[in-house]
Amino acid sequence: MKTVLVLTLLASLAPAPVSRADVALEVLSSRPDQVTGGDALIRVRGASRVLRNGEDVTAVFRRTGDGLTGLVDGLVTGDNTITATSGPHRRSLKIRNHPVEGPVFSGAHQYPFLCKTERSGLGPPVADNQDGQGMRVEGGWSRDCFAPTVTDRLYRSTDGTYKPMPEQGRPADLATTTLLDGRTVDFVVRRERGVINRFLYSIAMIENGWNQRAMYRFDGGVAIGHDQGTLGGGALDPYGLGKGYAVLHSSGTRTSTHYNLILGGETALMVKERFVERHGTPLYTVGVGASGGAIQQYVYGQNHGDRVIDAAIPQYSYPDMVTQTIHVGDCELLERYMDQHPRWARWDDRTALIGMNASDTVVNPLTGRPGSDECVNGWRGLTPLTMNPLWTSNNDPEWQRMDPPGVKDTVQWTHWDDLRKVYGVDERGYARSTWDNVGVQYGLKALTDGVITPEEFLDLNAEVGSWKEAADMVQEGCPFVRTACPADLDPWSARNANLSGDPAPRRTGDPEAIRNVRRSGLVFGGDIDLPVIDWRHYLEEQLDMHNAHQSFASRKRMLDHDGRAGNQVIWFTDARPDGPMFDQTPEALQVIDAWMANIRRYPARGVVGNKPPQAVDRCFATDGTEIAAGPHAWDGVLDRRSPGPCTQRFPLYGTSRTVAGGPIEGGVHKCRLQPVERAVAKGLYGSWHPEPGQRARLKQIFPAGVCDY
């Protein structure tokens, strides 16, 4: 009887007869051509034997519900072949493996590159004895800032901090947490840190409580690269970890490290790959992050589909960074003009030119007195940071300590140069720039609305000027270079502007740079098919840089792309009068969880067809209670309907380019031009019908014509 039972068991484990069509294999951890680090998680169906480059690796595979799954290591750099066989049947898959330090598709590494492994708790970077373009370490130089992987255990204290978990005993201040499934467990976190794609990464999850879901935490800020960066607080997101999410994070997906989102997307893919290889494929990965962290979700969702994130919660969003430079570059030109004309002494009036909010009561950070606007409170400093090749490194104490001296002086510290592989390089050796204001009629809407006179309109556009080429810029003054204060005050960076002449010259954006960036994937064009809850606090009255209309700029780009935007919902939470009081992110995560469960249950319905009831446009009071919800909440923003309840509650502002006649979605690097006479004939100036002398002045200011948006 025992022999019969054994034979029966063996028969049940033996694979059923298969045909070649039944044999299948796939890489779970990445695209087959984008494997990194020498290993890949592979799933095989209908096969009994697996080979790596001809060598049997069947032993690493384990049976799962849908075949065999195994982590295959030992892959050589370059091309590899994985073969699955079943009797006479076989199927092969080509895999291309890349080094863990990259690159995969982002292009050659950027040098010099400042290592920060030691200050991040990973020890000094491993010396590779290359030339001195990285951080000096014992025994040589490290160009790529590699450090061995470190794992540790932390616990969440009842005082809200993380502390090292002792090997023995239970700390008296150990907090507990309630997981997504309702279980209450000790708040103990296991964390893995290391270096992937030259950036620091972190993968953290609660011990014995993973809910099979992952959260990728993206961070914002603005920086110019050449820096490994550090891990942010989001790496140990207390809400996500406390609910059982695995939290993925990297210094390379913080825009406070760099704004090369080709490199950032590559890094995110590699971190996600590492997670899947070690822990398996999660039910889904949701992106969470604000400002530049929100931009990354839109851009990576567009460029990589669901290979990085399956759903997104962009907070305080913009569509992308590169198209923000268009109107942000106007700020100091307009501020200098207004500061020099008594007509604009009343700060509330300045919205008429900059489009963004202004206030006579908000304190100005430069003067310390009431009276400011968003250009000053939100964006001051972005012009020298992104455009002046001399400023950044000379004001960064870490680069001042760089060894050997002078390495930092080999870098052109601009956003354009950080992405010189995208924008291109001009004949003088400087990265090409897209910034252009030829034909831009500043204050056009203010003119047609009767806020400014024709004479003020003409004077403004004759004096506003433009920016010099990077090669011609000089070091900034006060407040950007503190040693220049207080005597050398130049908050407008006027020394680096073209302001002389009548009219002051405008700048033509480099057409090659514009072509390159538009096809690079750095511009969000609206092609995204993931669940998106775009949430922000309403911060307009604080003159915060995260202007509220940007959520609708992204929606308009989605509509322009294919006429659909049903996968994006927009939520606002009030922050008046005393600032943010309630975080809607936990509710957004709950809605995303229901949305993703529906997609798993009914995949044929698609993203929009699986929206749960709460996945609609909504707005909330300061305490988080709902004010209004539904398809008409934001009526009047992107259509001609009467304003909806949320639209009425939360007034939106624009930019200097929407005031000049541009579209809400932005993104027009260089406008199409039309002759002044045609613009007049079309009624572009409203009730103003320029007299011959005024027409002559318009033609003098705009010899190439004016923008035809």
Side-chain angles (χ1 to χ4, degrees):
M1 185 66 175
K2 181 176 180 181
T3 302
V4 173
L5 287 174
V6 170
L7 290 174
T8 302
L9 178 60
L10 290 173
S12 68
L13 292 174
V18 297
S19 67
R20 185 179 186 279
D22 294 324
V23 179
L25 70 166
E26 63 179 319
V27 180
L28 297 177
S29 48
S30 69
R31 267 178 34 175
D33 61 335
Q34 294 179 358
V35 169
T36 67
D39 53 11
L41 188 67
I42 294 174
R43 179 165 58 196
V44 177
R45 294 187 181 93
S48 56
R49 190 164 178 252
V50 186
L51 308 175
R52 176 203 62 216
N53 298 328
E55 182 179 351
D56 195 317
V57 291
T58 310
V60 304
F61 284 81
R62 298 291 180 268
R63 187 165 296 281
T64 59
D66 48 4
L68 300 172
T69 302
L71 182 65
V72 176
D73 60 11
L75 300 173
V76 301
T77 299
D79 291 334
N80 297 262
T81 302
I82 304 297
T83 303
T85 68
S86 180
H89 307 297
R90 65 172 48 217
R91 190 173 295 276
S92 294
L93 177 65
K94 293 290 185 183
I95 287 179
R96 186 161 186 82
N97 174 55
H98 307 263
V100 71
E101 68 267 21
V104 179
F105 53 76
S106 65
H109 284 160
Q110 183 185 67
Y111 296 107
F113 193 70
L114 183 62
C115 300
K116 293 184 176 177
T117 57
E118 193 162 13
R119 75 200 66 183
S120 300
L122 299 183
V126 176
D128 54 26
N129 295 309
Q130 299 293 324
D131 61 47
Q133 294 289 293
M135 175 66 77
R136 186 179 176 90
V137 297
E138 187 68 29
W141 295 92
S142 177
R143 286 167 58 88
D144 293 327
C145 301
F146 184 76
T149 299
V150 172
T151 59
D152 59 359
R153 297 170 72 230
L154 306 169
Y155 74 92
R156 183 83 169 169
S157 169
T158 51
D159 67 8
T161 64
Y162 287 99
K163 299 178 181 179
M165 183 67 182
E167 291 296 326
Q168 302 293 330
R170 186 181 189 279
D173 61 341
L174 173 59
T176 59
T177 185
T178 302
L179 302 173
L180 211 59
D181 61 9
R183 290 184 295 134
T184 297
V185 299
D186 286 342
F187 205 140
V188 180
V189 174
R190 183 172 292 275
R191 177 177 61 169
E192 172 189 320
R193 288 174 295 156
V195 178
I196 289 177
N197 211 21
R198 303 203 301 170
F199 296 105
L200 307 171
Y201 79 92
S202 168
I203 296 172
M205 53 205 311
I206 202 157
E207 276 193 345
N208 305 314
W210 182 35
N211 63 23
Q212 303 300 310
R213 298 154 175 84
M215 174 189 295
Y216 201 120
R217 281 297 307 260
F218 300 96
D219 283 352
V222 181
I224 310 299
H226 294 275
D227 194 317
Q228 187 176 37
T230 58
L231 297 173
L236 292 171
D237 176 85
Y239 182 83
L241 290 171
K243 288 298 178 184
Y245 290 86
V247 177
L248 288 62
H249 181 75
S250 168
S251 65
T253 51
R254 306 183 74 195
T255 56
S256 58
T257 303
H258 65 86
Y259 242 113
N260 182 344
L261 299 195
I262 307 302
L263 177 61
E266 176 182 82
T267 303
L269 287 166
M270 293 172 72
V271 172
K272 176 75 173 290
E273 175 191 28
R274 172 77 178 188
F275 174 77
V276 173
E277 288 171 350
R278 298 305 183 269
H279 302 286
T281 305
L283 291 174
Y284 63 83
T285 302
V286 56
V288 179
S291 191
I295 287 173
Q296 291 181 78
Q297 294 174 69
Y298 275 117
V299 171
Y300 302 159
Q302 169 185 264
N303 294 350
H304 307 297
D306 59 4
R307 292 192 299 118
V308 174
I309 55 175
D310 302 283
I313 304 177
Q315 304 158 322
Y316 312 109
S317 70
Y318 308 94
D320 56 60
M321 187 270 193
V322 298
T323 56
Q324 297 307 303
T325 63
I326 298 170
H327 67 85
V328 171
D330 295 335
C331 267
E332 296 303 354
L333 298 174
L334 293 169
E335 288 298 320
R336 183 202 64 85
Y337 175 82
M338 291 185 290
D339 283 345
Q340 293 184 352
H341 291 75
R343 159 71 174 84
W344 302 101
R346 185 172 179 270
W347 284 89
D348 280 351
D349 293 342
R350 296 194 178 198
T351 296
L353 300 190
I354 66 172
M356 295 175 280
N357 198 15
S359 169
D360 284 319
T361 59
V362 173
V363 173
N364 188 307
L366 185 66
T367 66
R369 298 190 300 271
S372 192
D373 60 33
E374 191 189 315
C375 272
V376 173
N377 275 47
W379 295 103
R380 178 150 282 170
L382 265 290
T383 296
L385 176 63
T386 59
M387 295 187 182
N388 188 341
L390 301 174
W391 183 54
T392 301
S393 69
N394 289 317
N395 289 273
D396 186 333
E398 295 193 84
W399 277 101
Q400 295 296 334
R401 295 191 296 269
M402 183 67 177
D403 186 13
V407 170
K408 64 181 175 57
D409 297 326
T410 66
V411 176
Q412 299 165 21
W413 296 94
T414 65
H415 164 71
W416 322 114
D417 193 78
D418 190 28
L419 284 157
R420 60 167 39 213
K421 287 176 286 189
V422 171
Y423 289 112
V425 179
D426 66 20
E427 60 280 356
R428 300 171 73 180
Y430 283 79
R432 300 177 185 274
S433 166
T434 60
W435 197 82
D436 181 293
N437 69 342
V438 173
V440 175
Q441 300 190 89
Y442 294 108
L444 179 61
K445 187 176 186 299
L447 170 71
T448 58
D449 288 349
V451 176
I452 62 175
T453 67
E455 289 72 23
E456 289 172 329
F457 173 74
L458 293 170
D459 182 67
L460 163 66
N461 282 285
E463 289 190 29
V464 69
S466 61
W467 296 110
K468 293 179 180 178
E469 301 302 318
D472 301 322
M473 288 190 171
V474 298
Q475 187 54 271
E476 299 291 330
C478 179
F480 308 116
V481 177
R482 293 187 179 181
T483 55
C485 296
D488 189 17
L489 183 65
D490 185 10
W492 320 278
S493 299
R495 66 195 64 201
N496 288 310
N498 287 313
L499 302 171
S500 60
D502 183 23
R506 301 296 183 94
R507 185 185 189 278
T508 300
D510 190 297
E512 182 177 325
I514 294 171
R515 285 194 301 270
N516 289 346
V517 77
R518 292 204 67 84
R519 65 191 179 197
S520 69
L522 292 171
V523 175
F524 178 63
D527 184 9
I528 187 170
D529 191 29
L530 308 175
V532 178
I533 298 179
D534 187 305
W535 171 71
R536 68 177 67 238
H537 284 112
Y538 182 76
L539 302 171
E540 295 290 359
E541 293 190 2
Q542 299 179 32
L543 308 184
D544 188 89
M545 67 192 304
H546 303 98
N547 38 74
H549 89 274
Q550 299 290 351
S551 297
F552 299 94
S554 295
R555 175 170 291 183
K556 185 61 166 60
R557 294 190 192 188
M558 294 167 69
L559 292 169
D560 289 344
H561 173 69
D562 61 7
R564 296 175 295 178
N567 58 307
Q568 183 219 41
V569 300
I570 295 174
W571 294 5
F572 280 17
T573 300
D574 210 343
R576 295 169 291 186
D578 299 320
M581 302 292 289
F582 190 88
D583 185 358
Q584 225 76 41
T585 308
E587 183 175 358
L589 284 166
Q590 294 170 16
V591 175
I592 288 292
D593 193 55
W595 202 340
M596 294 305 300
N598 290 346
I599 291 173
R600 292 194 302 276
R601 191 175 300 116
Y602 308 110
R605 296 180 182 177
V607 174
V608 176
N610 277 300
K611 292 167 70 172
Q614 298 83 5
V616 293
D617 288 343
R618 303 167 75 187
C619 58
F620 305 87
T622 308
D623 64 358
T625 57
E626 185 176 278
I627 298 170
H632 300 292
W634 295 110
D635 278 3
V637 178
L638 297 179
D639 54 46
R640 297 185 178 182
R641 300 188 184 102
S642 298
C646 295
T647 312
Q648 295 177 52
R649 183 73 171 258
F650 300 98
L652 300 181
Y653 293 84
T655 69
S656 55
R657 297 299 172 106
T658 61
V659 171
I664 187 174
E665 64 269 26
V668 181
H669 285 98
K670 184 173 185 62
C671 67
R672 180 175 55 195
L673 297 174
Q674 60 183 326
V676 167
E677 293 293 352
R678 183 180 300 168
V680 172
K682 288 167 60 176
L684 195 65
Y685 303 102
S687 61
W688 178 44
H689 303 286
E691 298 172 355
Q694 293 171 324
R695 292 195 188 198
R697 182 61 168 157
L698 275 171
K699 292 177 183 178
Q700 184 186 24
I701 297 169
F702 301 106
V706 299
C707 286
D708 180 5
Y709 288 107

